[in-house]
């Protein structure tokens, strides 16, 4: 039987506020254990949560960015369950009236573009962190993270493959960084994905039984975990079995998913409105203010790159896929208004390759956008050829100086002296008569041989355009 | 609506309460009496009434995003049953 995969994602984006969602304790990452867990975060008797205005503003920002309905009256509920890293015995979350209602986002996989529905996004507090391998007989609990504001973004079950799920997750990841509500750091857990995966016979409308995959902390693992789960469910279904609704933990080391039995019985969370918190009301004025403060969104930036810079769809898509990448590219553009395509090629080509090779993110690039833009200027004004520029770039990466310094100190300036190049061309033609014959008998490809010879003599410094022109003139 | 003893057992489990047989019977009876009281609301037409989320007719005041809390972890941990390496320690949780 042919099966259709159905995937919905729940994304937890940590909102980049200074203080926690309901207390004035710091949210800074990596501090001494429990040094940032105050009485409110610990759930000590007599404390009262007070909502952080920035958490509300950032949630609204997200809602507006995905064209969602904003519930201008929204309510906090208690989600009840027991776990050592949840000191109150409940998590403050939003159930019936979340701050962000239905919205949508467009994703692209290969040549296909589709719209994925955002069901809702709600504010909630994060739990603490349990460390299981610090002591033999104990689980150690660090509550610094308890009370950190999260926006849980729930999608419709609109995705049909692991690739689509990754495309959606990346789109949301880019968006939250663009609008400055989340730093997107997956290693530090600022952006986490859970995937609901089910299969159904192709053509059937009713959804199959789903499993929820947790503990996925990279896009690569998201794709792997979903594909693994699809295989597992397909095996069960094809043997006539039934998929059990459960939570499964992805283990990246063993490359397997396994059942988390502890979660099954806790499924009844007995939500009820939190009496400590009053309903939140969002005024029209605040909505308008936040709307006017929204920066250019990725989809708008992409359209502008195509319309104003003349980039193709693919380049524009790649360059806007990450805010940091788009920022880098736009800094380069300042000095290279007329060479947008060249800048794009360099960012997506040489720079990306170098970053990949050194396993660095663009923020960690050893060559700044400003410095790389100077190199592009020198290609643009014919000081150096594109080929020589690659060597200059390597030297810049090695810290040998700016583009101009390296061009100067290594004597890499392009030869544009027609007379000098002509002399070299004459000599090469005189010394290679068999190849000259071949060219004359119609072998156009042999021209490359002459170019190569000339470049060898000039150590790559001959202006390629000039050289080609001279060679053609002389040979024919 | 009324609750069975099985349902009350489940609720007790979720709340981590151990009930004796007698307590189970008593609690079931009491809870059903409370539900019976609430059931009187069924006699009232509530279709056009927005559910109340809070008894006070006020809206939530918001706090500025400013860090004012200091580190009082030593004080907080002094009342914890067990601590180590600045962590709160609990019996091993097995996943």
């Amino acid at each position: 039987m042919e099966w259709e995969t159905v995937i919905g994602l729940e994304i937890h984006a940590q909102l980049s506020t200074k203080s926690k969602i309901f207390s004035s304790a710091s949210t800074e990452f990596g501090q001494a254990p429990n040094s940032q867990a105050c009485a409110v975060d610990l759930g000590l008797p007599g404390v009262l949560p007070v909502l952080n205005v920035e958490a509300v503003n950032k949630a609204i920002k997200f809602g507006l960015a995905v064209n969602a309905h904003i519930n201008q009256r929204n309510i906090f509920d208690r989600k009840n369950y027991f776990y050592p890293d949840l000191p109150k015995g409940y998590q403050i979350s939003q159930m019936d009236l979340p701050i962000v209602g239905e919205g949508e986002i467009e994703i692209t996989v290969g040549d296909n573009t589709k719209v994925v529905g955002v069901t809702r996004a709600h504010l909630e507090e994060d739990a603490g962190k349990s460390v299981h391998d610090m002591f033999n007989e104990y689980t150690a609990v660090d509550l610094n993270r308890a009370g950190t504001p999260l926006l849980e973004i729930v999608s419709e079950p609109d995705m049909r493959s692991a690739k689509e799920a990754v495309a959606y997750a990346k789109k949301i990841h880019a968006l939250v960084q663009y609008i400055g509500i989340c730093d997107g750091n997956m290693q530090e857990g600022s952006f986490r994905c859970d995937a609901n995966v089910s299969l159904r016979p192709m053509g059937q409308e009713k959804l199959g039984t789903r499993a929820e995959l947790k503990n996925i902390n990279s896009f690569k693992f998201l794709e792997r975990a979903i594909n693994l789960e699809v295989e597992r469910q397909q095996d069960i279904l094809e043997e006539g079995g039934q998929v059990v609704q459960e939570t499964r933990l992805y283990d990246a080391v063993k490359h397997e998913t396994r059942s988390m039995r502890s979660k099954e019985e806790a499924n009844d969370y007995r939500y009820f409105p939190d009496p400590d918190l009053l309903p939140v009301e969002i005024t029209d004025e605040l909505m308008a203010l936040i709307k006017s403060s929204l920066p250019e969104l990725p989809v708008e930036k992409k359209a502008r790159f195509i319309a104003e810079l003349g980039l193709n769809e693919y380049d524009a898509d790649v360059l806007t896929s990450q805010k940091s990448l788009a920022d880098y590219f736009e800094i380069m553009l300042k000095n290279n208004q007329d060479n947008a395509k060249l800048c794009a090629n360099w960012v997506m080509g040489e720079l990306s390759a170098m970053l990949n090779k050194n396993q660095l993110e663009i923020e960690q690039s050893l060559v700044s956008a400003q410095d790389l833009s100077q190199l592009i200027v020198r290609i643009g004004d014919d000081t150096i050829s594109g080929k020589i520029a690659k060597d200059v770039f390597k030297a810049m990466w090695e810290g040998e100086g700016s583009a101009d310094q390296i061009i100067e100190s290594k004597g890499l300036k392009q030869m544009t002296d027609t007379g000098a190049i002509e002399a070299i061309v004459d000599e090469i033609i005189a010394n290679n008569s068999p190849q000259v014959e071949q060219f004359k008998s119609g072998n156009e490809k042999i021209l490359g041989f002459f170019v190569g010879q000339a470049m060898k003599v000039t150590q790559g410094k001959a202006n390629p355009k000039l050289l080609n022109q001279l060679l053609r003139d002389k040979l024919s | 609506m009324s609750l069975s003893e099985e349902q009350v057992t489940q609720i007790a489990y979720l709340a981590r309460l151990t009930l004796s047989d007698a307590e189970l019977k008593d609690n079931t009876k009491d809870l059903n009496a409370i539900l019976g009281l609430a059931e009187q609301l069924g006699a009232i037409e509530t279709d056009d009434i927005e559910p109340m989320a809070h008894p006070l007719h006020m809206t939530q005041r918001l706090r500025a995003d400013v860090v004012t809390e200091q580190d009082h972890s030593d004080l907080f941990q002094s009342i914890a049953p067990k601590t180590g390496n600045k962590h709160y320690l609990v019996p091993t949780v097995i996943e």
Side-chain angles (χ1 to χ4, degrees), chain A residues 23 111 341 440:
Chain A
S23 83
D111 294 333
K341 176 65 186 163
K440 286 191 168 154

Side-chain angles (χ1 to χ4, degrees), chain A residues 384-449:
Chain A
I384 51 171
S385 67
K387 193 162 179 297
I388 291 281
K390 291 181 184 179
D391 296 332
V392 177
F393 176 67
K394 281 198 192 95
M396 289 168 76
W397 189 271
E398 302 293 333
E400 292 178 29
S402 71
D404 283 347
Q405 283 166 349
I406 291 163
I407 292 166
E408 185 62 40
S409 68
K410 297 199 170 183
L412 297 174
K413 242 185 204 168
Q414 210 160 224
M415 280 176 69
T416 47
D417 178 347
T418 314
I421 298 176
E422 202 173 352
I424 291 164
V425 167
D426 284 342
E427 199 183 327
I428 291 168
I429 289 177
N431 292 339
N432 297 283
S433 42
Q435 283 83 359
V436 175
E437 283 311 311
Q438 282 185 44
F439 183 82
K440 286 191 168 154
S441 59
N443 183 358
E444 278 274 327
K445 280 187 192 152
I446 202 76
L447 193 69
F449 165 80

Side-chain angles (χ1 to χ4, degrees), chain A residues 66-233:
Chain A
V66 295
N67 281 320
H69 171 74
I70 305 291
N71 287 316
Q72 289 181 252
R73 180 173 180 274
N74 57 88
I75 289 162
F76 282 95
D77 299 281
R78 292 185 180 181
K79 176 180 177 177
N80 299 280
Y81 66 94
F82 287 108
Y83 205 76
D85 58 24
L86 187 77
K88 297 194 295 296
Y90 60 86
Q91 177 194 29
I92 305 178
S93 181
Q94 297 191 300
M95 182 62 184
D96 289 331
L97 267 177
I99 184 160
V100 177
E102 265 181 63
E104 57 183 39
I105 195 154
E106 202 178 87
I107 63 165
T108 306
V109 176
D111 294 333
N112 297 321
T113 295
K114 74 185 267 184
V115 171
V116 174
V118 172
T119 313
R120 57 184 281 158
H122 62 256
L123 284 167
E124 62 183 28
E125 57 179 342
D126 206 346
K129 208 175 92 189
S130 298
V131 187
H132 300 289
D133 54 6
M134 192 182 288
F135 295 90
N136 278 334
E137 292 152 62
Y138 299 99
T139 291
V141 183
D142 175 6
L143 295 168
N144 276 353
R145 205 180 61 187
T148 298
L150 299 178
L151 187 68
E152 178 172 338
I153 303 158
V154 183
S155 85
E156 288 290 303
D158 283 348
M159 288 148 281
R160 295 289 172 268
S161 67
K163 285 219 165 5
E164 283 187 8
V166 170
Y168 167 82
K170 282 186 172 171
K171 266 277 147 78
I172 297 281
H173 187 244
L175 183 65
V176 294
Q177 291 179 74
Y178 265 97
I179 60 178
I181 66 166
C182 170
D183 67 21
N185 190 325
M186 296 178 88
Q187 273 78 44
E188 292 178 5
S190 305
F191 189 89
R192 316 196 280 268
C193 288
D194 299 338
N196 287 307
V197 180
S198 65
L199 297 186
R200 63 183 171 190
M202 196 60 91
Q204 178 183 302
E205 197 164 326
K206 191 170 170 285
L207 293 171
T209 306
R210 68 169 193 266
E212 183 178 0
L213 304 178
K214 280 193 181 288
N215 199 35
I216 302 166
N217 61 6
S218 79
F219 296 124
K220 193 171 73 185
F221 291 157
L222 176 62
E223 185 166 347
R224 285 188 188 168
I226 290 172
N227 284 330
L228 202 60
E229 181 59 17
V230 168
E231 272 176 44
R232 189 189 72 90
Q233 291 189 16

